[in-house]
Amino acid sequence: MEPLVRARNVHKAFGDNQVLQGIDLDVMPGEVVVLLGPSGSGKSTFLRCVNHLESIDQGSIEVDGEQIGFRLEGGRLNRLSERQIAVQRRKIGMVFQQFNLYRHMTALENVIEAPIGVHHQNPDEAKRFGRELLARVGLADKEDSYPRQLSGGQQQRVAIARALAIRPTLMLFDEPTSALDPELVGEVLATMRDLARQGLTMIVVTHEISFAREAADRVVFMDGGVIVEEGLPEDVLVNPQHPRTRSFLSRFV
């Protein structure tokens, strides 16, 4: 089986700040990979590079056999147009720290906006699938509610349904619970655990060790723009081999 995501020697700098310094990572179809590490370790930057919200400086990232953001022609990598990159992103859903819902739209309208407005799906089909997704994240009774009428956890679950509405082959989660009050974190993590059980390929940046322990197939610890250690959750979280990993995880004991 070929990896769904294949990253090789990925570098990214912002000015003199070398954020990613040679990331090699494969993610198999149906796998849930959790990226752990201190702030500034490059986790979120790598995630944004996977769907080309940030352009890499060196290396390559392939999703489903297709290089993201570039095309090899005549032995040279040529940057794709924004329109071509937008087409590539159709297979990648992303959930951010902030919910970014349209305030003037209901929950259902937020979910179906991209399928209808961007992907030109049949409105009736988009609404049917949108209602299925809201039910899937436990919000079947909130389709007519506006964001101001929803809790933070409910808004983030609408954001998850919105990302799923494009029927992605890969889901990216960038610290999806960091903006939530502690009592709301559990409902979002429960939704993500359900997605993991359903076999959706996921890369998750989070500090929620419990989610990594229960839902991840593999845990990757990053620090200083490199992968320091990776392996099964029971190995990395319970018996980390690298001193930096042990130091980081000691804060959660």
Side-chain angles (χ1 to χ4, degrees), residues 65-203:
E66 185 176 20
Q67 180 141 324
I68 299 299
F70 300 89
R71 179 172 294 146
L72 184 62
E73 296 175 327
R76 297 182 59 185
L77 282 178
N78 296 311
R79 191 181 302 272
L80 297 178
S81 68
E82 284 303 314
R83 178 185 291 271
Q84 290 170 316
I85 293 170
V87 171
Q88 290 185 325
R89 288 197 187 112
R90 292 180 182 179
K91 66 180 73 174
I92 306 171
M94 188 162 185
V95 177
F96 300 88
Q97 297 178 30
Q98 302 298 326
F99 323 127
N100 298 322
L101 299 179
Y102 293 109
R103 312 301 295 180
H104 64 288
M105 292 184 179
T106 66
L108 181 60
E109 288 169 342
N110 267 281
V111 171
I112 66 175
E113 190 273 337
I116 294 175
V118 178
H119 303 306
H120 309 295
Q121 290 183 13
N122 175 276
D124 290 336
E125 170 60 22
K127 289 178 182 178
R128 183 195 63 76
F129 188 51
R131 290 188 175 101
E132 285 184 13
L133 291 173
L134 287 174
R136 191 170 167 185
V137 300
L139 295 174
D141 60 337
K142 299 295 185 181
E143 69 170 76
D144 294 323
S145 298
Y146 289 89
R148 67 179 179 273
Q149 299 170 312
L150 302 173
S151 70
Q154 290 170 332
Q155 290 184 60
Q156 189 63 296
R157 284 187 280 158
V158 172
I160 292 172
R162 179 182 58 185
L164 292 170
I166 62 172
R167 303 177 190 265
T169 57
L170 171 68
M171 280 286 285
L172 308 176
F173 293 86
D174 187 8
E175 299 195 34
T177 61
S178 65
L180 299 177
D181 293 332
E183 64 268 22
L184 301 177
V185 169
E187 63 189 61
V188 174
L189 293 180
T191 297
M192 294 170 62
R193 290 188 187 99
D194 286 342
L195 296 176
R197 284 192 289 266
Q198 293 164 21
L200 183 63
T201 308
M202 300 162 56
I203 306 177

Side-chain angles (χ1 to χ4, degrees), residues 14-45:
F14 296 101
D16 294 331
N17 183 18
Q18 297 291 327
V19 180
L20 300 177
Q21 303 190 58
I23 299 296
D24 292 324
L25 182 68
D26 287 346
V27 179
M28 304 304 292
E31 189 175 24
V32 178
V33 174
V34 170
L35 305 183
L36 297 178
S39 298
S41 59
K43 309 180 303 297
S44 292
T45 296

Side-chain angles (χ1 to χ4, degrees), residues 192-243:
M192 294 170 62
R193 290 188 187 99
D194 286 342
L195 296 176
R197 284 192 289 266
Q198 293 164 21
L200 183 63
T201 308
M202 300 162 56
I203 306 177
V204 183
V205 171
T206 184
H207 290 295
E208 298 292 339
I209 301 299
S210 62
F211 176 82
R213 184 181 297 111
E214 296 170 19
D217 296 300
R218 187 155 41 106
V219 171
V220 175
F221 177 72
M222 293 179 61
D223 194 16
V226 300
I227 292 176
V228 175
E229 186 170 350
E230 64 178 294
L232 298 173
E234 55 266 34
D235 294 332
V236 175
L237 300 178
V238 177
N239 188 30
Q241 300 301 300
H242 199 284

Side-chain angles (χ1 to χ4, degrees), residues 45-65:
T45 296
F46 175 73
L47 210 64
R48 292 173 65 84
C49 288
V50 171
N51 68 352
H52 207 74
L53 289 175
E54 300 288 353
S55 178
I56 64 176
D57 300 326
Q58 182 180 333
S60 67
I61 298 176
E62 295 179 4
V63 176
D64 203 15

